[in-house]
């Protein structure tokens, strides 16, 4: 590409980013860039204008001027067929990651949630975690004719997540369960060579380029029975939608491991135990009710009452910590669980997003109890659980920010 072509490409990109006033001659305005769009670029511009243009912002559904000199149509209006066509257009012009962002923006900026109750809309969308969260929040208002389509959308997302996360999670936690049964005189096959080498580095012989292992470090193999108990305690307030989706998938994965006894509890101001539905995370998700208040203290009281082997139990609280219950009792329960030997993990979010909004005072108080609160991506979650099972330091990202 020569300098002239590169300059035109820059102008083209800026024109698409900035938008433009309608140009009666071209059907696509040049704006301050001096670059007019045509063909596929003009069509792409119209899809962007419908969502991000001035007409979309003021809700008029109109913007710019058309080729005939009249007003050019923009905005998504209120009809499902029109929105479905727009969804089909953006899928043709943009990659999946961009389509998902635009869908999210359309729902947030233009109030299109109600249209997701119509089957033709659901068949047109690009399914992702955020869309699932929106569908779950609409679950109670969803007509029967839409529910099966909605379940199909949710099941597709859940299947993709399980495919992405399950194998690594099982492998990581199986290793952690094996290592948690450490022994002092391991058999050859049970030697942890990585730890053994590190423990004997002082015995390195340069002339032989080897380490003399004076002390072997090993681990016993996990027995067939249940070795650890895991309780996932999930805040189902509206801001935690993505976390609920990921936690439900991980709950199903953990429940499939014989060495773990997994319990899944969701809460707002009430507490619901969904453990008996863990075989199917889609059932778990449709058993939640996103929105409402938050009573962490009541949820932890329920979880505490289900602990029978404190030293072998990991409790994972997934919440932004905006407590509507009794704060001091909540903190006292966490302190009591930790004192009994429970490994307590607080995740402010379990999602792909950055740092979430959360109650910093409560996060600081938990950190003071030795239970630091931090956000966690789905890819990091297996490592967090492995560290908790092995009772070692948690891999906390951005410690200074979340403590």
């Amino acid at each position: 590409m020569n300098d002239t072509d590169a300059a035109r490409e820059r102008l083209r990109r800026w024109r698409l980013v900035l938008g433009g006033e309608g140009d009666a001659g071209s059907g696509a305005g040049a704006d301050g860039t001096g670059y007019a769009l045509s063909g596929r670029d003009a069509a792409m511009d119209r899809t962007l204008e419908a969502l991000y243009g001035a007409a979309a912002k003021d809700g008029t559904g109109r913007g710019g001027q058309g080729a005939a000199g009249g007003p050019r149509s923009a905005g998504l209006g209120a009809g499902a067929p029109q929105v479905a066509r727009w969804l089909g257009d953006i899928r043709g012009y943009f990659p999946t990651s961009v389509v998902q962002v635009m869908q999210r923006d359309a729902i947030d900026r233009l109030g299109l949630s109600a249209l997701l109750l119509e089957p033709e809309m659901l068949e047109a969308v690009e399914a992702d975690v955020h869309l699932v969260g929106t569908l779950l929040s609409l679950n109670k208002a969803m007509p029967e004719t839409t529910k099966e389509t909605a379940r199909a959308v949710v099941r597709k997302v859940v299947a993709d997540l399980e495919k992405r996360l399950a194998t690594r999670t099982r492998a990581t936690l199986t290793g952690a369960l094996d290592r948690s049964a450490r022994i002092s005189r391991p058999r050859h096959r049970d030697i942890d060579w990585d730890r053994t080498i590190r423990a004997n580095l002082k015995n390195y012989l340069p002339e032989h380029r080897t380490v003399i292992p004076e002390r072997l470090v090993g681990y016993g193999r996990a027995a067939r029975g249940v070795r650890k108990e895991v309780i996932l305690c999930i805040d189902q307030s509206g801001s935690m939608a993505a976390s609920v989706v990921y936690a439900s998938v991980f709950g199903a994965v953990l429940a499939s491991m014989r060495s773990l006894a997994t319990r899944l509890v969701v809460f707002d101001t009430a507490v619901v135990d969904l453990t008996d539905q863990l075989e199917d995370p889609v059932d778990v998700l449709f058993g939640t009710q996103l929105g409402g208040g938050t009573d962490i203290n009541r949820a932890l009281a329920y979880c505490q009452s289900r602990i029978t082997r404190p030293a072998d139990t990991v409790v994972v609280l997934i919440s932004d910590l905006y407590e509507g219950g009794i704060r001091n009792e909540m903190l006292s329960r966490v302190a009591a669980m930790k004192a009994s030997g429970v490994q307590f993990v607080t995740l402010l979010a379990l999602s792909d997003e950055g740092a979430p909004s959360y109650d910093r005072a409560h996060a600081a108080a938990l950190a003071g109890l030795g239970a630091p609160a931090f956000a966690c991506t789905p890819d990091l979650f297996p490592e967090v659980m492995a560290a908790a099972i092995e009772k070692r330091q948690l891999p906390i990202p951005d410690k200074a920010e979340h403590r």
Side-chain angles (χ1 to χ4, degrees), residues 126-354:
E126 189 71 45
D128 68 345
V129 169
H130 298 279
L131 177 66
V132 170
T134 301
L135 290 177
L136 296 179
S137 70
L138 298 171
N139 184 26
K140 301 305 179 185
M142 196 174 289
E144 289 301 322
T145 55
T146 305
K147 282 189 175 180
E148 283 306 311
T149 305
R151 287 185 72 91
V153 171
V154 173
R155 190 169 296 282
K156 178 181 183 301
V157 174
V158 166
D160 289 344
L161 291 178
E162 283 189 302
K163 184 177 179 180
R164 166 188 157 194
L165 301 170
T167 300
R168 179 166 171 266
T169 299
R170 291 193 187 98
T172 300
L173 297 192
T174 297
L177 288 164
D178 285 347
R179 290 188 294 273
S180 68
R182 196 165 301 283
I183 57 177
S184 58
R185 299 180 64 183
R187 292 172 295 179
H188 183 270
R189 67 177 181 175
D190 293 328
I191 296 173
D192 185 332
W193 287 107
D194 183 56
R195 289 175 179 264
T196 295
I197 291 170
R198 279 186 284 166
N200 290 278
L201 285 176
K202 64 179 182 297
N203 301 323
Y204 180 67
L205 300 180
E207 63 274 21
H208 296 290
R209 301 178 66 185
T210 190
V211 170
I212 302 299
E214 289 183 351
R215 181 170 68 90
L216 297 178
V217 180
Y219 46 84
R221 294 294 167 184
R224 289 181 178 273
V226 172
R227 297 195 57 84
K228 297 287 182 179
E229 297 182 2
V230 176
I231 301 177
L232 298 178
C233 185
I234 310 168
D235 182 345
Q236 60 175 353
S237 58
S239 60
M240 302 296 294
S243 298
V244 171
V245 176
Y246 278 118
S248 299
V249 172
F250 277 118
V253 173
L254 299 182
S256 71
M257 299 179 65
R258 292 184 179 180
S259 297
L260 293 176
T262 304
R263 182 177 296 276
L264 189 142
V265 176
V266 298
F267 67 93
D268 42 35
T269 53
V271 180
V272 181
D273 192 326
L274 297 175
T275 302
D276 61 350
Q277 299 180 35
L278 270 175
E279 288 187 2
D280 188 346
V282 176
D283 287 340
V284 170
L285 288 171
F286 277 94
T288 64
Q289 184 173 346
L290 292 176
T294 307
D295 193 338
I296 303 172
N297 177 54
R298 175 178 289 187
L300 292 182
Y302 177 83
C303 294
Q304 191 176 23
S305 71
R306 295 299 183 269
I307 296 173
T308 58
R309 300 162 52 197
D312 294 319
T313 299
V314 178
V315 174
V316 182
L317 171 64
I318 304 174
S319 173
D320 53 18
L321 301 179
Y322 288 112
E323 171 66 320
I326 305 172
R327 177 184 189 272
N328 290 338
E329 282 193 15
M330 175 190 78
L331 297 175
S332 295
R333 291 189 192 283
V334 175
M337 281 188 272
K338 285 190 63 63
S340 69
V342 171
Q343 295 297 107
F344 195 92
V345 179
T346 307
L347 302 182
L348 302 167
L350 179 57
S351 67
D352 294 303
E353 271 64 50

Side-chain angles (χ1 to χ4, degrees), residues 17 40 59 95 105 119 167 278 288 311 333 336 377 394:
V17 169
R40 180 181 174 85
D105 286 348
T167 300
L278 270 175
T288 64
R333 291 189 192 283
T377 64
L394 300 177

